[in-house]
Amino acid sequence: MPAGTSLRWFQTLPSTNAAALNALNCPEGTVFAADCQESGRGRLGRSWHSPPGRNLYFSLVLYPRLCLSQWGGFSLAAGVGLAEGIAKLGLCPELKWPNDLLIRGRKLSGILLEAKAEKLVVGIGVNVNQREFPDYLVAASLSQVADKIWRRDKLLPHFVEEVFRWCKLWEGGLHQRVLSAWQQYDVLIGNKVTACRGEERIQGRAEAVGGQGELVVIGDNGIRHYFHSGEVTLDKGLRE
Ligand code: BTN
């Protein structure tokens, strides 16, 4: 494992995020990984499809020395780290705020940040060697796009290294560096979007991702809206 990290590997866990959140005496940089999750968690209370033997499911423990208002940026930093890791494999990842990682418009990876007291857990699922997905998922795997079987034991430290490095850059105050890296992969900025937060639904143009990780949308009526959480869809669709 990369410097500053260590691995706790399990055959099966309910959720690597839950294990990381609940673990006591667990130093920064500890990675909980499992071959299979029985109740993998996704954003907005959804579940994360986690069959055995094919993909990566892991959670990195951090203790950010930043005020809470800046914790949102770790979601961007983790996305950038993962995107860089995938780009280094020779593929072309795309990032969709807040932290979906897509490839050819399909979801390759999901990131779920959860916090407990001073601990922040960055949970990541990457579709690696899975070739078929349930119909309701618009998903893709590394194996499908590169047409090969990947070594998960090699990919895990590679992704952990990038994600840890970019999270540390954010923690170290290099926010502009993270934001500009994010922009290189962003699929929303400049495009017509619909952003939803609870009952609120705003149509407009995605303008920027701000210094606290928020998405700025200029509504069709010219008013700026700041989304610190929520869901966004590209009006023209992603797969073209
Ligand atoms: C999303 O909804 O896009 C986020 C999905 C995050 C899934 C990962 S898999 C490893 C970690 N453990 C979990 O229970 N969830 C995250």
Side-chain angles (χ1 to χ4, degrees):
M1 290 295 280
T5 69
S6 63
L7 178 63
R8 295 191 195 174
W9 194 86
F10 301 82
Q11 197 67 45
T12 302
L13 280 176
S15 149
T16 58
N17 263 29
L21 278 173
N22 295 331
L24 301 172
N25 305 321
C26 141
E28 167 148 306
T30 307
V31 174
F32 289 76
D35 183 54
C36 159
Q37 295 184 118
E38 290 155 332
S39 32
R41 313 210 278 231
R43 287 184 61 241
L44 307 172
R46 298 185 186 126
S47 60
W48 185 257
H49 180 66
S50 310
R54 301 189 176 100
N55 301 322
L56 285 174
Y57 317 109
F58 62 98
S59 302
L60 169 68
V61 173
L62 301 174
Y63 296 94
R65 288 174 290 262
L66 286 182
C67 62
L68 266 182
S69 66
Q70 297 190 332
W71 281 34
F74 285 101
S75 152
L76 302 181
V80 169
L82 203 53
E84 292 274 299
I86 287 161
K88 286 182 181 173
L89 304 176
L91 303 173
C92 297
E94 299 154 344
L95 288 169
K96 178 173 162 284
W97 185 92
N99 47 23
D100 281 348
L101 194 143
L102 312 169
I103 206 151
R104 299 183 188 162
R106 293 180 163 266
K107 187 147 166 166
L108 179 81
S109 169
I111 303 174
L112 176 66
L113 271 71
E114 294 186 277
K116 192 175 190 178
E118 75 280 17
K119 186 194 279 180
L120 176 67
V121 168
V122 180
I124 296 178
V126 186
N127 298 327
V128 179
N129 290 324
Q130 189 167 351
R131 302 293 296 213
E132 283 173 11
F133 294 92
D135 287 342
Y136 62 89
L137 294 177
V138 183
S141 68
L142 291 175
S143 178
Q144 285 175 324
V145 291
D147 204 21
K148 64 178 250 194
I149 301 293
W150 294 84
R151 292 269 311 254
R152 289 180 299 155
D153 58 335
K154 295 237 157 64
L155 287 179
L156 177 64
H158 171 68
F159 290 145
V160 166
E161 180 169 14
E162 293 290 339
V163 170
F164 191 50
R165 188 162 75 81
W166 282 91
C167 285
K168 285 289 164 189
L169 288 177
W170 181 265
E171 188 180 30
L174 296 178
H175 297 179
Q176 205 43 55
R177 176 130 176 241
V178 174
L179 292 171
S180 4
W182 174 278
Q183 268 175 25
Q184 290 176 7
Y185 297 107
D186 189 295
V187 287
L188 295 180
I189 302 306
N191 288 311
K192 296 278 289 172
V193 297
T194 302
C196 301
R197 174 175 46 197
E199 298 293 291
E200 194 184 7
R201 194 166 174 274
I202 304 290
Q203 285 197 297
R205 193 168 289 280
E207 185 186 39
V209 172
Q212 291 181 354
E214 74 281 18
L215 180 72
V216 186
V217 177
I218 305 187
D220 288 340
N221 56 5
I223 296 175
R224 266 199 184 77
H225 299 263
Y226 298 86
F227 287 85
H228 289 270
S229 62
E231 278 245 274
V232 190
T233 49
L234 254 182
D235 289 352
K236 68 174 168 122
L238 275 164
R239 282 169 294 149
E240 294 189 318

